[in-house]
Amino acid sequence: MSSHERLSGLYGITDSALMPNDNSLLTCVESALQGGMAILQYRDKSTDNEKRLHQARMLKELCHNYQVPLIINDDVALVAACGADGVHLGADDDTVSDARNHLGDNVIIGISCYGSLERALVMQSRGADYVAFGACFPSATKPEAAVDVKPGLLAEACRTLSVPIVAIGGITLDNAPDIISQGVNMVAVISDLFSADNIEAQARQYSQLFRPS
Protein backbone atom coordinates (compact mmCIF):
# COMPACT_ATOMS: atom_id res chain seq x y z
CA MET A 1 0.00 0.00 0.00
CA SER A 2 1.43 3.39 -0.97
CA SER A 3 1.60 6.24 1.51
CA HIS A 4 -1.17 8.05 -0.39
CA GLU A 5 -3.49 5.05 -0.11
CA ARG A 6 -3.00 5.05 3.66
CA LEU A 7 -3.99 8.71 3.95
CA SER A 8 -7.75 8.54 4.26
CA GLY A 9 -10.13 8.83 7.18
CA LEU A 10 -9.98 10.26 10.67
CA TYR A 11 -6.69 12.05 11.38
CA GLY A 12 -6.30 12.45 15.14
CA ILE A 13 -3.92 14.98 16.69
CA THR A 14 -2.73 14.69 20.28
CA ASP A 15 -3.08 17.55 22.75
CA SER A 16 -0.79 17.57 25.79
CA ALA A 17 -3.37 19.60 27.75
CA LEU A 18 -5.86 16.75 27.36
CA MET A 19 -3.24 14.03 27.84
CA PRO A 20 -0.84 15.31 30.52
CA ASN A 21 1.05 12.07 31.15
CA ASP A 22 2.11 8.86 29.43
CA ASN A 23 -0.81 6.84 30.73
CA SER A 24 -3.50 9.28 29.62
CA LEU A 25 -1.78 9.74 26.25
CA LEU A 26 -1.67 6.02 25.51
CA THR A 27 -5.17 5.38 26.86
CA CYS A 28 -6.74 8.15 24.78
CA VAL A 29 -4.87 7.23 21.62
CA GLU A 30 -5.64 3.52 21.91
CA SER A 31 -9.33 4.30 22.39
CA ALA A 32 -9.28 6.33 19.17
CA LEU A 33 -7.41 3.55 17.35
CA GLN A 34 -10.00 1.03 18.51
CA GLY A 35 -12.64 3.32 17.02
CA GLY A 36 -10.96 3.33 13.63
CA MET A 37 -8.71 6.41 13.68
CA ALA A 38 -6.65 6.11 10.49
CA ILE A 39 -3.71 8.47 11.13
CA LEU A 40 -2.23 9.96 14.31
CA GLN A 41 -0.17 13.11 14.63
CA TYR A 42 1.88 13.56 17.79
CA ARG A 43 1.90 17.24 18.66
CA ASP A 44 3.78 18.38 21.77
CA LYS A 45 5.15 21.92 21.83
CA SER A 46 7.18 21.44 25.01
CA THR A 47 10.97 21.67 25.07
CA ASP A 48 11.34 18.41 27.00
CA ASN A 49 13.09 16.46 24.26
CA GLU A 50 13.59 13.36 26.40
CA LYS A 51 9.87 13.14 27.17
CA ARG A 52 8.92 13.78 23.54
CA LEU A 53 11.21 11.03 22.27
CA HIS A 54 9.94 8.61 24.91
CA GLN A 55 6.29 9.34 24.06
CA ALA A 56 6.88 9.24 20.31
CA ARG A 57 8.47 5.81 20.57
CA MET A 58 5.56 4.50 22.63
CA LEU A 59 3.04 5.95 20.19
CA LYS A 60 4.84 4.46 17.20
CA GLU A 61 4.65 0.99 18.73
CA LEU A 62 0.99 1.45 19.63
CA CYS A 63 -0.01 2.85 16.23
CA HIS A 64 1.86 0.11 14.38
CA ASN A 65 -0.06 -2.49 16.37
CA TYR A 66 -3.13 -1.11 14.56
CA GLN A 67 -1.34 -0.62 11.21
CA VAL A 68 -1.80 3.15 11.57
CA PRO A 69 0.91 5.64 10.55
CA LEU A 70 2.37 8.02 13.15
CA ILE A 71 3.11 11.57 12.00
CA ILE A 72 5.24 13.94 14.09
CA ASN A 73 4.40 17.64 14.19
CA ASP A 74 7.14 20.09 13.21
CA ASP A 75 10.19 18.02 14.19
CA VAL A 76 12.22 16.26 11.52
CA ALA A 77 14.90 15.25 14.03
CA LEU A 78 12.32 13.54 16.24
CA VAL A 79 10.96 11.61 13.26
CA ALA A 80 14.46 10.34 12.53
CA ALA A 81 15.11 9.49 16.18
CA CYS A 82 11.91 7.53 16.83
CA GLY A 83 11.35 6.04 13.37
CA ALA A 84 7.91 7.59 12.88
CA ASP A 85 6.16 7.31 9.53
CA GLY A 86 6.11 10.99 8.70
CA VAL A 87 6.32 14.65 9.60
CA HIS A 88 3.86 17.53 9.35
CA LEU A 89 5.40 20.89 8.52
CA GLY A 90 4.01 24.41 8.89
CA ALA A 91 4.92 27.74 7.38
CA ASP A 92 8.16 28.20 9.31
CA ASP A 93 9.43 24.62 9.38
CA ASP A 94 11.89 22.74 7.19
CA THR A 95 11.12 22.73 3.50
CA VAL A 96 9.81 19.61 1.83
CA SER A 97 13.14 19.02 0.09
CA ASP A 98 15.13 19.44 3.30
CA ALA A 99 12.86 17.03 5.15
CA ARG A 100 12.97 14.55 2.25
CA ASN A 101 16.76 14.68 2.11
CA HIS A 102 16.97 14.05 5.84
CA LEU A 103 14.27 11.38 6.15
CA GLY A 104 14.25 9.55 2.83
CA ASP A 105 11.76 8.76 0.11
CA ASN A 106 9.43 6.52 2.13
CA VAL A 107 8.53 9.00 4.88
CA ILE A 108 5.19 10.81 4.65
CA ILE A 109 5.55 14.61 4.47
CA GLY A 110 2.48 16.75 5.08
CA ILE A 111 2.30 20.52 4.74
CA SER A 112 0.00 23.18 6.20
CA CYS A 113 -1.38 25.34 3.41
CA TYR A 114 -3.83 27.40 5.50
CA GLY A 115 -6.24 28.93 2.97
CA SER A 116 -3.93 28.98 -0.05
CA LEU A 117 -4.49 26.70 -3.02
CA GLU A 118 -1.44 28.32 -4.64
CA ARG A 119 0.76 27.20 -1.74
CA ALA A 120 -0.72 23.71 -1.97
CA LEU A 121 0.11 23.47 -5.68
CA VAL A 122 3.70 24.53 -5.01
CA MET A 123 4.06 22.04 -2.15
CA GLN A 124 2.58 19.26 -4.26
CA SER A 125 5.11 20.03 -6.99
CA ARG A 126 7.91 19.86 -4.42
CA GLY A 127 6.92 16.39 -3.32
CA ALA A 128 4.52 16.78 -0.39
CA ASP A 129 2.52 13.61 0.28
CA TYR A 130 -0.53 15.49 1.56
CA VAL A 131 -1.64 19.07 2.16
CA ALA A 132 -3.77 20.47 4.96
CA PHE A 133 -6.19 23.38 4.76
CA GLY A 134 -7.40 25.25 7.84
CA ALA A 135 -8.73 26.58 9.96
CA CYS A 136 -12.09 25.59 8.54
CA PHE A 137 -13.98 26.83 11.62
CA PRO A 138 -13.06 28.58 14.88
CA SER A 139 -10.90 26.19 16.90
CA ALA A 140 -10.86 25.60 20.65
CA THR A 141 -7.30 24.30 20.39
CA LYS A 142 -6.01 27.32 18.46
CA PRO A 143 -8.42 30.17 19.24
CA GLU A 144 -6.00 32.68 17.69
CA ALA A 145 -5.97 30.88 14.33
CA ALA A 146 -7.70 32.65 11.48
CA VAL A 147 -10.54 30.89 9.69
CA ASP A 148 -8.66 30.81 6.40
CA VAL A 149 -10.75 28.34 4.44
CA LYS A 150 -13.21 30.33 2.36
CA PRO A 151 -16.37 28.77 0.90
CA GLY A 152 -15.57 26.68 -2.14
CA LEU A 153 -11.84 26.33 -1.44
CA LEU A 154 -11.92 22.68 -0.39
CA ALA A 155 -14.01 21.60 -3.35
CA GLU A 156 -11.72 23.51 -5.73
CA ALA A 157 -8.64 21.98 -4.08
CA CYS A 158 -10.10 18.49 -4.45
CA ARG A 159 -10.67 19.11 -8.16
CA THR A 160 -7.21 20.60 -8.69
CA LEU A 161 -4.76 18.65 -6.55
CA SER A 162 -3.63 15.05 -6.95
CA VAL A 163 -2.32 14.54 -3.39
CA PRO A 164 -4.58 13.72 -0.42
CA ILE A 165 -6.20 16.66 1.35
CA VAL A 166 -6.76 17.21 5.07
CA ALA A 167 -9.26 19.67 6.52
CA ILE A 168 -8.44 20.97 9.99
CA GLY A 169 -9.67 23.52 12.50
CA GLY A 170 -12.87 23.37 14.48
CA ILE A 171 -14.02 20.10 12.92
CA THR A 172 -16.89 18.43 14.78
CA LEU A 173 -19.27 15.58 14.06
CA ASP A 174 -21.86 18.22 13.16
CA ASN A 175 -19.83 19.93 10.44
CA ALA A 176 -17.63 17.04 9.30
CA PRO A 177 -20.19 15.53 6.87
CA ASP A 178 -20.34 18.75 4.83
CA ILE A 179 -16.54 19.01 4.80
CA ILE A 180 -16.12 15.38 3.71
CA SER A 181 -18.79 15.77 1.01
CA GLN A 182 -16.53 18.30 -0.70
CA GLY A 183 -14.06 15.51 -1.40
CA VAL A 184 -11.37 15.79 1.27
CA ASN A 185 -9.52 12.59 2.15
CA MET A 186 -9.08 13.26 5.87
CA VAL A 187 -10.47 15.41 8.67
CA ALA A 188 -8.03 16.33 11.43
CA VAL A 189 -9.65 16.44 14.86
CA ILE A 190 -8.29 17.27 18.30
CA SER A 191 -10.82 18.54 20.84
CA ASP A 192 -13.96 16.93 19.44
CA LEU A 193 -12.18 13.57 19.48
CA PHE A 194 -10.00 13.54 22.58
CA SER A 195 -12.37 15.57 24.80
CA ALA A 196 -15.22 13.14 24.15
CA ASP A 197 -16.65 11.15 27.04
CA ASN A 198 -16.24 7.99 24.94
CA ILE A 199 -13.29 8.48 22.60
CA GLU A 200 -13.67 5.09 20.92
CA ALA A 201 -17.33 5.73 20.08
CA GLN A 202 -16.52 9.24 18.85
CA ALA A 203 -13.75 7.92 16.60
CA ARG A 204 -16.08 5.26 15.24
CA GLN A 205 -18.67 7.89 14.30
CA TYR A 206 -16.04 9.89 12.42
CA SER A 207 -14.68 6.79 10.72
CA GLN A 208 -18.13 5.80 9.52
CA LEU A 209 -18.43 9.12 7.68
CA PHE A 210 -15.76 7.90 5.26
CA ARG A 211 -17.50 4.62 4.44
CA PRO A 212 -19.83 4.45 1.45
CA SER A 213 -23.44 4.36 2.58
Side-chain angles (χ1 to χ4, degrees):
M1 181 183 293
S2 73
S3 62
H4 286 192
E5 290 171 319
R6 299 166 74 190
L7 298 173
S8 177
L10 172 61
Y11 183 130
I13 300 178
T14 67
D15 183 342
S16 53
L18 297 172
M19 312 164 190
N21 55 54
D22 292 355
N23 184 60
S24 59
L25 176 67
L26 293 175
T27 299
C28 290
V29 167
E30 183 152 33
S31 294
L33 289 165
Q34 289 170 339
M37 178 176 65
I39 306 102
L40 178 71
Q41 182 187 131
Y42 175 56
R43 177 190 279 170
D44 185 303
K45 296 295 189 178
S46 76
T47 56
D48 188 341
N49 291 333
E50 185 176 343
K51 180 198 81 169
R52 295 172 73 248
L53 177 57
H54 169 66
Q55 291 189 338
R57 283 173 168 162
M58 290 194 302
L59 288 174
K60 186 190 84 165
E61 181 177 358
L62 177 59
C63 287
H64 287 192
N65 287 341
Y66 289 85
Q67 292 79 54
V68 165
L70 173 66
I71 308 295
I72 303 292
N73 179 257
D74 285 358
D75 194 332
V76 169
L78 181 56
V79 176
C82 75
D85 302 282
V87 65
H88 184 89
L89 303 173
D92 302 318
D93 304 311
D94 294 303
T95 65
V96 175
S97 58
D98 288 343
R100 184 69 70 203
N101 288 338
H102 192 70
L103 298 172
D105 292 338
N106 295 325
V107 168
I108 298 164
I109 298 178
I111 301 285
S112 292
C113 294
Y114 311 100
S116 173
L117 180 55
E118 291 73 22
R119 174 175 165 83
L121 285 163
V122 169
M123 294 304 164
Q124 174 179 271
S125 72
R126 292 180 181 172
D129 293 297
Y130 74 84
V131 295
F133 290 100
C136 295
F137 305 98
S139 168
T141 305
K142 287 190 172 182
E144 76 286 356
V147 178
D148 286 323
V149 176
K150 308 305 182 194
L153 171 66
L154 292 176
E156 183 181 3
C158 292
R159 290 192 301 269
T160 306
L161 297 166
S162 58
V163 293
I165 294 169
V166 184
I168 187 171
I171 306 286
T172 68
L173 278 173
D174 290 332
N175 59 42
D178 177 62
I179 293 291
I180 293 167
S181 73
Q182 296 179 60
V184 303
N185 305 87
M186 297 164 274
V187 290
V189 187
I190 306 172
S191 297
D192 198 56
L193 175 61
F194 289 116
S195 293
D197 292 334
N198 186 327
I199 294 171
E200 180 180 348
Q202 192 83 341
R204 186 166 289 113
Q205 289 189 72
Y206 273 106
S207 300
Q208 288 170 347
L209 296 175
F210 289 90
R211 295 179 186 140
S213 55

